[in-house]
Amino acid sequence: MREWHFRNLYLIPPILFALFSAGFQTNAQQASSAQASRLSDKQAFQQIEDRWSQAIAKRDQYALELVLSPELIDISASGDQTTRDQQVAMLFEKNVEPLSLDQRVTDVRTFGELVVVIGSYDEQLRVNGKPVRKTGMFTHIYHNDRGNWLCVNAQRTPAVESVHEKARGAAKHNHAEHSITGASGSAQ
């Protein structure tokens, strides 16, 4: 029995070394993982935004439902308010064909189980056969539901240029209509 004990004593130092180094390595990995998770919030939510964009472009109802909460309230750039079910239904509108949606995350702010994601969007679609491009900023609020981040609130703001261009276009259009009406009115 003594022989077995002494014969196996030489194994104790390598075993202890392996246990201690594994412990130090685990702590280092946890610290590295914590740093990586803090640094990768933007990347993680960019992946979610990419899945959202791909679901729209592919008209993939299931993929869209995996990103949007059943409690979603979406406010469009024009101020229209829709629910998740209405967003999904819009995938299948006959007069609107989504071509692409590019959402770029610029900031992520975490508040416990809620995350605010801010970014820009560039959406291209075909409405009644005509190409339409919409750009601007978005704010998406996500809630962590059993380990899955689901968007509970979305709001888009059109790009400033788009608003000015629309206003100028409307002013020119109204001025042209007034000129035509005025000219025909004065001719009468």
Side-chain angles (χ1 to χ4, degrees):
M1 183 84 160
R2 271 189 187 262
E3 236 178 90
W4 179 85
H5 179 57
F6 287 118
R7 193 173 62 190
N8 291 325
L9 277 179
Y10 73 92
L11 293 176
I12 292 176
I15 292 172
L16 290 176
F17 176 76
L19 289 174
F20 283 123
S21 64
F24 290 128
Q25 187 176 9
T26 302
N27 288 341
Q29 286 174 344
Q30 288 173 349
S32 172
S33 175
Q35 287 174 338
S37 68
R38 275 186 252 130
L39 296 175
S40 67
D41 281 350
K42 188 173 172 182
Q43 293 170 336
F45 281 93
Q46 182 61 59
Q47 289 177 349
I48 295 170
E49 295 292 339
D50 289 344
R51 286 197 310 264
W52 186 338
S53 297
Q54 291 167 2
I56 300 259
K58 293 178 180 179
R59 294 185 177 199
D60 186 340
Q61 174 182 350
Y62 180 70
L64 190 58
E65 288 174 345
L66 290 176
V67 176
L68 304 180
S69 168
E71 292 86 22
L72 173 77
I73 298 295
D74 182 278
I75 301 171
S76 73
S78 62
D80 296 327
Q81 183 175 320
T82 56
T83 65
R84 180 177 86 167
D85 291 343
Q86 291 168 321
Q87 287 288 310
V88 169
M90 286 193 289
L91 290 176
F92 305 105
E93 286 183 358
K94 293 184 182 195
N95 297 332
V96 178
E97 178 186 355
L99 301 175
S100 69
L101 174 60
D102 184 29
Q103 301 179 116
R104 293 286 139 212
V105 174
T106 57
D107 191 26
V108 176
R109 300 173 65 202
T110 304
F111 303 96
E113 295 293 310
L114 292 177
V115 172
V116 177
V117 177
I118 299 169
S120 62
Y121 69 91
D122 185 347
E123 180 178 25
Q124 297 183 24
L125 47 118
R126 189 169 290 123
V127 179
N128 294 323
K130 296 178 184 174
V132 175
R133 182 176 183 202
K134 299 177 182 182
T135 61
M137 299 294 295
F138 69 80
T139 302
H140 293 159
I141 299 174
Y142 287 87
H143 178 261
N144 191 335
D145 185 15
R146 293 174 282 211
N148 294 318
W149 290 103
L150 298 174
C151 186
V152 294
N153 191 297
Q155 183 163 354
R156 282 173 295 290
T157 304
V160 175
E161 300 88 30
S162 297
V163 172
H164 291 300
E165 289 172 16
K166 286 180 184 179
R168 269 191 247 131
K172 285 180 184 177
H173 182 70
N174 288 341
H175 180 68
E177 280 182 359
H178 179 68
S179 297
I180 293 171
T181 307
S184 62
S186 60
Q188 288 178 343

